[in-house]
Amino acid sequence: MQDILVYIALGLAIGFLVKKYFFKSTKDDNCGPGCGSCKN
Amino acid sequence: MTNDNVVKVALIGNPNTGKTSLFNQLTGLKQKVGNYPGITVEKKQGFCKLNESVKAEITDLPGTYSINPTSLDETLVLDTLLNEEGDAFPDVIVVVVDIENIKRNLLLFTQLKDLKIPTILVINMIDQMNRKGIHINVQKLEKQLNTKIVLASARKKIGIGDLKEAILDYKNIDITPVGDISIKIDKEYFSKLKEAFPEFPLYKSWLLITQKKEFDFITEDEKKLVLKFRENLECIKRYQHKETIFRYQIINDVLKDTFNVDKSKATDLRGVLDRVLTHKIFGYVIFALILLFIFQGIFNWATYPMDLIDTAFANLSSWTKSVMPPGTFTNLIAEGVIPGIGGVIIFIPQIAILFTFISILEETGYMSRVVFLMDKIMRKFGMSGKSVIPLISGTACAIPAIMASRNIGSWKERLITILVVPFTTCSARLPVYAILIALIIPDKRIFGFLNLQGLTMMAMYLLGFTAAISSSILLHNVLKIKSKSLFVIEMPNYKLPSIKNILYEVVEKTKAFIFGAGKIILALSIVLWFLASNGSSSFKNAEEIVTNKVENSELHPQELQKKIASYKLENSYIGYMGKTIEPVIKPMGYDWKIGIALISSFAAREVFVGALATIYNVDSDGENTGTIKERMAAEINPDTGEKRFNFPTGMSLLIFYAFAMQCVGTLAIVKRETNSWKWPMLQLFGMGILAYVSAVIVFNIFS
């Protein structure tokens, strides 16, 4: 059961990172990906 | 004028120009206060004796910034001035402007002048002229604005007699507009407007079109024509913008020759402060002292909350392991997620302190003085004074800072600013610097009050600015782009900072840092933990292999567990990746674990600490998790037996992070702002090579 949870978490994490860096964001143009200090 | 013995006067001006004081001076106790018909806006009227036989009926109209109304009382100004048949329609308008804000106040004046009603310009608060170092060429200004000007001080009762004389002589005032807006906006459109309303002054027709209300004083045919002209709303809005720009162009041109502020002659508090804060020597000394104070504050005040947060996360990690059922998911939470998130939260105190100081400097008006102060230096380096704003904004984040360079007129200066801004120490570098400085610089004081760690942090910020400025000199000489620009900055008045504004700014920026970086760090922590906790057959059989290797030596069970954990990490997926890049990073003094953190932080620099926290946590024996700082401090270099984060490696890392272009977001924004991949690639490789070479040199010097 714990292994399944780990794989789900891993899938979500990879999905988030791929979406963040490989797909163009539809959010405010004032901010780019990976920026910690501006409003994402 | 309904009666030759009474001159109707409309007193108009921006709010806070001293209009009501002037009204009181002119009318004394001869005032009547009522309401405008149908609405509850106060109507103030009064009488003033101009000479033995003529008196003025003065209406104090509500304060307004422009003739385009945004509120009910501002609408009254428009209604009064457009309805020639109305009771309050003036024979003469008296426009009151504040000498300190003359540029902004003149917008309303130029609009009123276009209505072709005799208009007198009262420049109020002239008692401040000498103290503020202001000089006005009244004759030239009168000529350029086609009007009669009266210099007055309502509070000091100066110029009241001159104003009365001017009102008495209103029939001789030139009613020619200051400029012809139709030429600048759309000549054809305004010709049609003129044909449609031949009886009206052109600007009155334009105002009828641009307002969203119905005017009762025009005929039904005129109303239909107004509606017809109003059909293309988009076009009207565009023309209104053009009108405002054109008016400010005229005002700038007029004031350039007639209005001069010599700060060196100012004797008021603002003038004195400006002279000191923008002084060619003291200005820089004060700025340096302020920076020193800020960075001392960051280290001195943030230590206690940071230690608290660090310990709390270490305890949370241990507690999670103790209460959750044993297994991989528990390990992921305790060894991956919690340390990773802790690596972001820990820096809240430092970031909040930095932004509190920056907000205070902006709120008080000091930052504008810094911009002015820096302009002279910046020009020598191929940038403009306006480049200081992106460079200072860059201490928060390079992305909005690069976008802030849009107001730099010269393309060359703007490009140089865009290219050098990433050298500025952004808040993402702060966590990396903070942890490395805490590890390699002793917590000592110089002269009893200067914290050595705070000084090092300040040196890192200065290094960033120096790198930015040095690169701009290089780019200024290399880039063959011809362009010119003019630097104009309006100095705001000094004021006490608003606590509400500062709190809002600090909370917003800190929140953005946590939620922006936090999501990436959480995701990367999970991926890194997975890669560090899984591997090939050597990883899976680590226990057996290590036990066989050490079976003859007498090892304490805890030491054996440590050896197994290290062996597992070395043979994990992340271990293989790290070992692959190790030959490249070894000259800088880094091992493969630092290499992994380095690669992970290419997305965002602040990931470095979280990534190391995750890697070292997986590497631990599982019993003693410790704080991030403790784990990094305890890491030993197996080749030398010395601490991994010793002075040479720490310095090398500091230099690497100071110069390397490790921010995907910044690269994306540079591409968008320059519309080319050439410039972000130049930054990536240029800064990368500089960072690598500098880090190798620094490591070898200190080794």
Side-chain angles (χ1 to χ4, degrees):
Chain A
M1 180 61 190
Q2 290 222 4
D3 285 346
I4 295 169
L5 287 173
V6 167
Y7 282 106
I8 291 172
L10 183 68
L12 288 172
I14 293 172
F16 170 78
L17 291 171
V18 168
K19 186 173 171 275
K20 186 101 186 156
Y21 292 108
F22 295 98
F23 292 97
K24 201 180 172 186
S25 169
T26 52
K27 286 186 182 173
D28 188 358
D29 266 351
N30 286 353
C31 202
C35 166
S37 300
C38 64
K39 290 175 189 175
N40 277 17
Chain B
M1 190 163 71
T2 49
N3 180 341
D4 274 351
N5 296 329
V6 179
V7 183
K8 286 190 176 180
V9 181
L11 203 56
I12 306 178
N14 286 188
N16 306 317
T17 49
K19 183 168 60 68
T20 302
S21 299
L22 189 66
F23 176 74
N24 291 338
Q25 289 296 344
L26 284 167
T27 58
L29 295 172
K30 297 179 209 89
Q31 297 181 8
K32 54 176 182 180
V33 179
N35 279 351
Y36 283 93
I39 49 172
T40 53
V41 175
E42 197 179 72
K43 182 182 185 180
K44 280 173 87 176
Q45 279 190 319
F47 290 91
C48 158
K49 196 172 165 185
L50 298 176
N51 65 18
E52 286 307 312
S53 55
V54 183
K55 62 179 179 178
E57 183 190 284
I58 303 168
T59 306
D60 182 13
L61 286 165
T64 179
Y65 287 103
S66 97
I67 207 164
N68 297 308
T70 54
S71 65
L72 188 62
D73 48 357
E74 285 180 6
T75 308
L76 276 171
V77 179
L78 186 72
D79 284 350
T80 307
L81 300 178
L82 293 191
N83 184 6
E84 287 182 37
E85 305 303 317
D87 288 343
F89 186 79
D91 298 309
V92 57
I93 299 172
V94 173
V95 182
V96 186
V97 297
D98 168 10
I99 194 158
E100 273 199 84
N101 296 301
I102 195 163
K103 184 177 162 184
R104 196 179 65 218
N105 294 173
L106 278 179
L107 175 76
L108 177 67
F109 170 82
T110 63
Q111 289 178 315
L112 296 171
K113 198 79 179 63
D114 282 7
L115 289 172
K116 298 196 172 178
I117 304 170
T119 305
I120 298 165
L121 180 68
V122 174
I123 300 177
N124 198 13
M125 305 184 199
I126 53 144
D127 51 314
Q128 303 286 323
M129 258 170 78
N130 292 337
R131 290 178 60 210
K132 306 275 178 196
I134 295 171
H135 175 77
I136 304 174
N137 186 338
V138 179
Q139 279 180 331
K140 205 169 177 182
L141 192 58
E142 275 185 335
K143 210 173 169 187
Q144 297 210 24
L145 293 176
N146 308 321
T147 195
K148 171 72 190 164
I149 291 175
V150 175
L151 297 180
S153 170
R155 279 189 305 185
K156 300 263 169 91
K157 298 180 186 175
I158 300 168
I160 308 298
D162 293 342
L163 178 58
K164 285 181 182 174
E165 275 179 30
I167 294 171
L168 203 56
D169 194 34
Y170 78 92
K171 284 180 182 168
N172 293 321
I173 294 171
D174 189 352
I175 56 165
T176 316
V178 182
D180 185 354
I181 58 162
S182 64
I183 298 170
K184 285 281 175 177
I185 300 174
D186 185 337
K187 206 173 176 181
E188 203 183 317
Y189 180 88
F190 278 87
S191 298
K192 284 180 190 166
L193 201 60
K194 182 83 195 156
E195 276 172 32
F197 302 96
E199 303 291 313
F200 296 162
L202 184 61
Y203 194 58
K204 178 178 171 176
S205 317
W206 173 237
L207 286 173
L208 293 175
I209 306 295
T210 53
Q211 308 309 311
K212 285 174 188 160
K213 59 177 286 185
E214 271 213 2
F215 294 96
D216 298 331
F217 53 81
I218 55 174
T219 63
E220 287 304 315
D221 287 345
E222 284 168 344
K223 279 180 189 172
K224 280 179 195 163
L225 272 172
V226 165
L227 289 177
K228 200 180 154 204
F229 272 95
R230 272 185 201 168
E231 273 170 7
N232 194 346
L233 265 178
E234 278 298 308
C235 183
I236 290 173
K237 273 187 188 170
R238 208 172 58 243
Y239 286 172
Q240 278 185 301
H241 287 304
K242 275 188 170 181
E243 182 199 333
T244 308
I245 293 167
F246 172 59
R247 288 192 188 280
Y248 273 118
Q249 278 172 351
I250 294 177
I251 293 166
N252 280 336
D253 286 346
V254 168
L255 291 181
K256 202 166 61 186
D257 299 333
T258 54
F259 186 85
N260 175 39
V261 183
D262 186 350
K263 287 282 165 201
S264 64
K265 288 181 182 163
T267 56
D268 63 332
L269 182 63
R270 178 185 156 157
V272 172
L273 277 175
D274 275 350
R275 264 211 305 278
V276 175
L277 296 177
T278 58
H279 190 269
K280 57 185 175 184
I281 297 165
F282 299 127
Y284 297 108
V285 173
I286 291 167
F287 186 44
L289 286 175
I290 288 172
L291 285 181
L292 186 68
F293 180 73
I294 291 173
F295 294 114
Q296 289 295 310
I298 287 176
F299 260 91
N300 287 336
W301 303 330
T303 311
Y304 300 107
M306 282 177 81
D307 285 346
L308 269 178
I309 295 168
D310 207 3
T311 312
F313 270 87
N315 291 339
L316 181 67
S317 199
S318 305
W319 179 79
T320 311
K321 267 202 153 177
S322 66
V323 295
M324 282 177 73
T328 48
F329 188 67
T330 302
N331 290 344
L332 165 67
I333 301 293
E335 294 170 3
V337 174
I338 295 175
I341 295 297
V344 184
I345 306 289
I346 192 175
F347 297 105
I348 291 178
Q350 287 188 329
I351 283 165
I353 291 172
L354 177 69
F355 285 124
T356 303
F357 280 121
I358 290 179
S359 301
I360 291 172
L361 296 184
E362 279 172 355
E363 276 272 311
T364 50
Y366 177 68
M367 211 56 118
S368 302
R369 274 75 191 177
V370 174
V371 172
F372 175 77
L373 186 72
M374 291 294 177
D375 184 56
K376 285 175 207 159
I377 297 183
M378 290 297 170
R379 289 203 172 276
K380 288 178 189 160
F381 302 136
M383 290 190 278
S384 116
K386 285 180 183 170
S387 307
V388 176
I389 298 167
L391 287 175
I392 289 175
S393 310
T395 54
C397 177
I399 291 170
I402 284 168
M403 294 179 69
S405 69
R406 284 178 184 173
N407 70 347
I408 300 172
S410 148
W411 166 239
K412 185 176 177 180
E413 286 174 359
R414 190 178 156 217
L415 181 63
I416 293 175
T417 308
I418 289 172
L419 292 176
V420 305
V421 155
F423 278 116
T424 317
T425 303
C426 65
S427 60
R429 281 183 175 108
L430 186 63
V432 182
Y433 289 172
I435 199 104
L436 291 171
I437 289 172
L439 283 169
I440 64 165
I441 305 291
D443 188 11
K444 278 186 184 167
R445 286 180 187 275
I446 303 174
F447 310 123
F449 68 98
L450 284 175
N451 182 311
L452 192 59
Q453 293 182 334
L455 274 180
T456 314
M457 180 65 94
M458 185 177 164
M460 291 311 295
Y461 272 75
L462 291 178
L463 178 68
F465 279 119
T466 311
I469 285 171
S470 313
S471 321
S472 65
I473 300 172
L474 184 74
L475 289 165
H476 179 55
N477 290 315
V478 170
L479 294 174
K480 299 291 173 207
I481 304 169
K482 280 184 185 174
S483 62
K484 276 185 182 177
S485 81
L486 187 70
F487 175 65
V488 180
I489 184 169
E490 194 175 342
M491 299 276 197
N493 281 329
Y494 291 103
K495 59 174 183 172
L496 282 173
S498 146
I499 295 172
K500 195 178 149 194
N501 286 352
I502 291 170
L503 273 179
Y504 177 79
E505 187 80 4
V506 171
V507 169
E508 278 300 309
K509 292 248 166 81
T510 313
K511 233 168 71 182
F513 173 79
I514 295 164
F515 292 110
K519 281 186 277 185
I520 303 165
I521 290 173
L522 174 65
L524 274 171
S525 299
I526 294 170
V527 175
L528 286 175
W529 175 86
F530 183 83
L531 293 172
S533 306
N534 291 280
S536 59
S537 57
S538 300
F539 177 88
K540 284 167 190 155
N541 303 320
E543 208 157 319
E544 198 185 325
I545 297 167
V546 175
T547 312
N548 286 339
K549 266 188 187 172
V550 296
E551 64 182 346
N552 294 329
S553 55
E554 287 175 13
L555 271 181
H556 190 275
Q558 208 174 335
E559 278 183 37
L560 179 68
Q561 283 304 316
K562 269 193 176 173
K563 280 211 173 294
I564 294 170
S566 285
Y567 186 83
K568 274 180 137 179
L569 190 63
E570 276 189 64
N571 290 282
S572 64
Y573 295 128
I574 210 167
Y576 286 126
M577 287 162 69
K579 297 255 175 189
T580 312
I581 60 160
E582 198 169 23
V584 182
I585 57 169
K586 207 161 186 176
M588 294 192 282
Y590 314 153
D591 66 352
W592 61 270
K593 290 177 199 169
I594 298 176
I596 292 298
L598 223 59
I599 294 172
S600 308
S601 64
F602 175 73
R605 295 176 179 98
E606 59 272 45
V607 172
F608 176 76
V609 182
L612 278 181
T614 306
I615 293 167
Y616 290 146
N617 227 331
V618 176
D619 194 20
S620 72
D621 54 16
E623 294 296 321
N624 184 15
T625 40
T627 64
I628 297 172
K629 207 167 109 185
E630 283 166 4
R631 286 194 297 272
M632 287 173 77
E635 183 70 6
I636 300 292
N637 181 349
D639 297 337
T640 60
E642 282 182 21
K643 285 187 173 180
R644 165 59 64 201
F645 290 95
N646 57 8
F647 190 73
T649 306
M651 284 305 292
S652 165
L653 271 169
L654 281 175
I655 296 298
F656 183 85
Y657 273 93
F659 296 151
M661 177 72 196
Q662 284 192 292
C663 184
V664 175
T666 306
L667 288 171
I669 213 79
V670 172
K671 192 263 162 187
R672 200 185 70 188
E673 294 294 308
T674 58
N675 204 22
S676 158
W677 275 110
K678 184 169 80 177
W679 304 113
M681 287 302 112
L682 176 78
Q683 279 179 315
L684 179 65
F685 291 106
M687 291 173 74
I689 292 166
L690 176 68
Y692 185 83
V693 172
S694 309
V696 171
I697 293 170
V698 165
F699 178 71
N700 284 294
I701 288 173
F702 291 114
S703 285

